[in-house]
Amino acid sequence: MQPLLNYIGGSFVPSNSGDTIEDINPATNQRITTLPRSSSIDVDKATQAAIGAGPAWKATPIEERIKWLENIADALEAKHEEIALLETLDTGKPISLSRRVDAARSVSNFRFFAQYAKEQQPMQFEANGAINHIHRNPVGCVGLITPWNLPLYLLTWKVAPALLMGNTIVAKPSEMTPLTANLLAETLDELKLPEGVFNLVHGLGPEVGQAIVEHPNIKAISFTGGTSTGRTVAATAAPMFKKLSLELGGKNATVLLDDARIDDIVDELVRASFTNSGQVCLCGSRVLIPAKMYDEVAEKFVKGVERLKLGDPMDESTQMGAVISAEHLSKVESYINLGIEEGGIVLTGGTSVNASVSGVHAEGAFLRPTVIGGLKHTSRTATEEIFGPVVTLHPYHDEDEAVLIANGTEYGLAGSVWTSDVERGHAFAQRMDTGIVWVNTWLNRDLRTPFGGVKQSGIGREGGIWSMSFFSEMTNVCIKQP
Ligand code: TXE
C-alpha cells in the first residue's frame, strides 16, 4: 500500500520533516504502510489553510453545506466495502463488524446531520414587545482528535456536524488507525470540497495532537480517547478558553434485575460485553447479578462467551478478532493477572490464544474473551478501565447495593439494565450516574439523542442539537419594533 500523506490545503503532502511512522496490522503484526510523523510545523500549515478557507465556507449557504454532506454520504456508501476492509486491516476487528458498524455508521453520520439540519426551525423568542432571533455562526477552525477503536465512525461523527455548521477542520486520527481517515481525505478531494475546508495531519498524540490543542487559531477541540489524555487536552485548552468536548473512557455496568430471564438475554449480554473485543467505550465490563441467580447466570453467561468464534478477522464467520496492538494486548493481560492477584477466579479465557485457537496468526494480538468472578467490586480490576475482552461478574443482594456497585467507579458513561418490567428498569436507570442507560437493549442508537458521560467519562454531549451547538457560536439579536 502506498505510504500515506497528510492532506493540507487540498494537497497530499509528506510531513515537513519527511519522518514516518509504521502502520501495523494487529492480526498479523505485519506492516501495512507508513504514515507521516508530523509536527507543529505541519499543524500550523494545516491551520493556515483552514483559516484561509474559512470565510468562503462560512458564507456558503447551509442548504449547500447540507448538499455537501449528502454527496459525501453517497461517496462513502459507494466505498462501503473498502472502508470495512481498511478498518479491519487497521484494527483487527472482524470484517462483519467493520461492515455492520464502522462503514455503515460513517455513512449515516453524514446522512443523519444533513437530514436533521433540514428539520431545524429558526429559533425565536418573543417578549417585552421584542423578538429575539438566535443566530448560529461557525466557531471557525476546529480541531478533531480521534481514537483507534472506531476510527472512521468517530471521525465522521465530528466532521459531519463541524462542516454542516460552517467550520473548517484540522483533524488527527489515531496513529494506529490512519487508513480510513486517509480514505475520507481522498473522498473529499475527489468531490472537490473547497481546498483547506478539511485538513488531515497524521502523527503522534503528544506531537500532533498536542500542537492542535495548543494552536491559538484553532478555536474548539473535539476529543475522543482515554481519560488520562483527556486530562492533558483539558489542561492545555482550558486556559486558552477553547470550546472543549471530551468523550473519554468508561467502566460500564450491565445490571440484571431479579426478574431478568437469562436464557432470553444471554447473547445480548455477551454482545454488550465483547463487541470489538470490548474496545468500545460503551461496552459493559462489569455484570451485576442478583445473588440468588448468580450461579445459574454466571454459568450461562460463560457458556455464551465460549460460543464466540475467535479467529482471523478477515474470516466472515469470525465474531472476535485481534485487539488493537501487541502493546494493548500486554496491558489487557496485565489486568487479567491483576484480577487473579486480587482474588479473582478466571471462569473462561485468560490466556494468549496463539496456541489454542485455529486460524489466527501466531504473532497476532489475539486474546480469548475472559470472564473473572469472585472479585470485590472495589478491586482495581473491577473499577479501572481495561478496554479489552475482560468482564467481571458481581453478585448483589438488593437494588440499593446494585446502584452502589454500578456507580462505584470514577467513570459515568453508560450502562444497561435487564428486566421483564420496563417501569422498574426505567426507575433503576435513573439512579445510575451515567450519560446513557439502555434497558433491555445495548448500543441502540438514535443520533438525535445526547451522547456522553459524567465524572471521568468526559465533558459535553455529542449528537443532534448538541453537536450542532458545540460546532457553532450563538448570537441573540433582540429586535424591538420602532
Ligand atoms: O487513546 P488516546 P487511545 C480509552 C481506552 C484506551 C485509552 C487509550 O482506555 O486504552 O483510551 O486509547 C491522541 N494531546 N479509550 O490510545 O491515547 C492520540 O494520538 C492531544 C476510550 O486511542 O487518548 C489519538 O489520536 N492528543 C475512547 C487520540 O488522542 C493526544 C476510545 C486518542 O488517543 C495526546 C478509545 C495529547 N497529549 C480509547 N496523546 C472512547 N471513550 O471511546 C494522544 N493523543
Side-chain angles (χ1 to χ4, degrees):
M1 191 180 288
Q2 286 299 316
L4 303 184
L5 298 169
N6 289 333
Y7 182 63
I8 296 176
S11 302
F12 287 93
V13 294
S15 63
N16 179 62
S17 65
D19 291 350
T20 61
I21 304 166
E22 287 203 333
D23 182 29
I24 303 292
N25 175 346
T28 62
N29 206 25
Q30 298 301 307
R31 185 177 91 167
I32 302 169
T33 183
T34 61
L35 56 146
R37 179 174 178 173
S38 308
S39 70
S40 56
I41 295 167
D42 305 289
V43 168
D44 192 49
K45 282 180 187 163
T47 306
Q48 284 176 33
I51 298 290
W57 187 244
K58 174 179 179 176
T60 303
I62 190 158
E63 294 72 21
E64 272 187 52
R65 296 200 298 256
I66 288 171
K67 193 76 193 100
W68 272 109
L69 265 54
E70 289 169 338
N71 293 343
I72 295 168
D74 293 344
L76 290 178
E77 194 150 55
K79 298 181 179 181
H80 195 276
E81 190 58 21
E82 186 184 357
I83 293 170
L85 177 62
L86 293 178
E87 229 47 312
T88 287
L89 280 177
D90 246 350
T91 63
K93 70 175 72 179
I95 186 72
S96 59
L97 184 66
S98 292
R99 273 196 206 103
R100 188 176 70 251
V101 173
D102 299 74
R105 179 65 187 276
S106 301
V107 174
S108 52
N109 282 340
F110 284 100
R111 242 188 255 301
F112 163 73
F113 278 107
Q115 179 53 36
Y116 193 65
K118 290 176 189 170
E119 297 164 4
Q120 299 312 303
Q121 301 301 324
M123 202 184 284
Q124 293 172 358
F125 299 92
E126 263 189 81
N128 322 317
I131 299 183
N132 293 274
H133 299 268
I134 316 298
H135 297 282
R136 289 188 186 285
N137 300 305
V139 174
C141 174
V142 299
L144 312 181
I145 302 173
T146 46
W148 48 254
N149 63 325
L150 296 159
L152 193 58
Y153 170 134
L154 289 173
L155 176 58
T156 54
W157 183 228
K158 301 175 189 296
V159 169
L163 291 180
L164 173 69
M165 301 314 287
N167 301 283
T168 55
I169 293 170
V170 177
K172 182 216 165 302
S174 172
E175 53 276 29
M176 290 193 267
T177 55
L179 295 179
T180 47
N182 182 64
L183 177 140
L184 177 63
E186 289 174 341
T187 305
L188 299 179
D189 192 59
E190 288 155 13
L191 291 171
K192 300 197 179 351
L193 185 71
E195 294 174 2
V197 169
F198 175 84
N199 302 279
L200 184 66
V201 183
H202 291 285
L204 301 176
E207 295 171 1
V208 173
Q210 182 68 21
I212 289 172
V213 178
E214 61 191 29
H215 197 294
N217 295 338
I218 295 179
K219 298 301 180 194
I221 301 293
S222 181
F223 172 84
T224 297
T227 291
S228 62
T229 310
R231 191 174 286 116
T232 305
V233 170
T236 305
M240 302 175 81
F241 295 104
K242 294 191 179 191
K243 289 189 87 169
L244 190 56
S245 166
L246 296 175
E247 294 297 338
L248 307 178
K251 187 73 177 184
N252 309 312
T254 301
V255 185
L256 278 74
L257 300 187
D258 62 14
D259 59 1
R261 288 196 290 268
I262 181 63
D263 295 328
D264 298 347
I265 63 174
V266 63
D267 288 340
E268 274 293 276
L269 300 182
V270 170
R271 190 173 77 86
S273 303
F274 293 103
T275 292
N276 199 30
S277 297
Q279 298 168 134
V280 179
C281 53
L282 298 166
C283 276
S285 43
R286 301 175 289 149
V287 183
L288 278 52
I289 307 163
K292 62 181 189 302
M293 298 161 63
Y294 182 84
D295 292 344
E296 180 201 4
V297 169
E299 184 193 345
K300 291 182 174 176
F301 181 73
V302 163
K303 282 201 172 58
V305 171
E306 289 175 343
R307 283 197 291 273
L308 281 175
K309 186 176 182 301
L310 178 76
D312 181 342
M314 291 305 293
D315 179 330
E316 297 288 342
S317 64
T318 293
Q319 294 171 298
M320 206 173 113
V323 296
I324 188 67
S325 67
E327 183 190 5
H328 191 54
L329 174 63
S330 308
K331 172 184 169 185
V332 176
E333 286 184 326
S334 70
Y335 270 107
I336 295 173
N337 295 331
L338 174 66
I340 295 166
E341 283 161 32
E342 292 189 302
I345 315 287
V346 175
L347 305 179
T348 185
T351 57
S352 279
V353 292
N354 297 343
S356 62
V357 175
S358 65
V360 295
H361 307 277
E363 60 287 356
F366 291 92
L367 185 69
R368 280 183 22 223
T370 298
V371 180
I372 303 177
L375 279 170
K376 285 196 177 61
H377 69 266
T378 51
S379 64
R380 283 187 53 207
T381 312
T383 52
E384 293 178 14
E385 185 186 48
I386 299 172
F387 215 63
V390 180
V391 164
T392 55
L393 306 184
H394 304 276
Y396 69 86
H397 296 87
D398 59 40
E399 285 192 16
D400 289 345
E401 187 186 18
V403 168
L404 192 77
I405 296 172
N407 294 338
T409 76
E410 292 302 317
Y411 295 99
L413 184 57
S416 62
V417 184
W418 302 80
T419 171
S420 306
D421 176 348
V422 290
E423 298 308 316
R424 249 183 100 195
H426 196 166
F428 188 94
Q430 289 180 268
R431 299 178 68 188
M432 294 173 79
D433 293 338
T434 57
I436 304 150
V437 183
W438 284 287
V439 178
N440 295 335
T441 185
W442 179 73
L443 203 60
N444 188 322
R445 293 281 292 116
D446 178 330
L447 304 188
R448 295 169 296 179
T449 59
F451 176 94
V454 296
K455 301 195 288 188
Q456 297 195 16
S457 289
I459 298 174
R461 294 295 185 275
E462 291 185 301
I465 198 68
W466 290 274
S467 294
M468 292 174 70
S469 297
F470 178 77
F471 287 113
S472 57
E473 291 294 1
M474 286 176 275
T475 300
N476 179 27
V477 179
C478 176
I479 300 172
K480 188 162 178 58
Q481 293 298 338

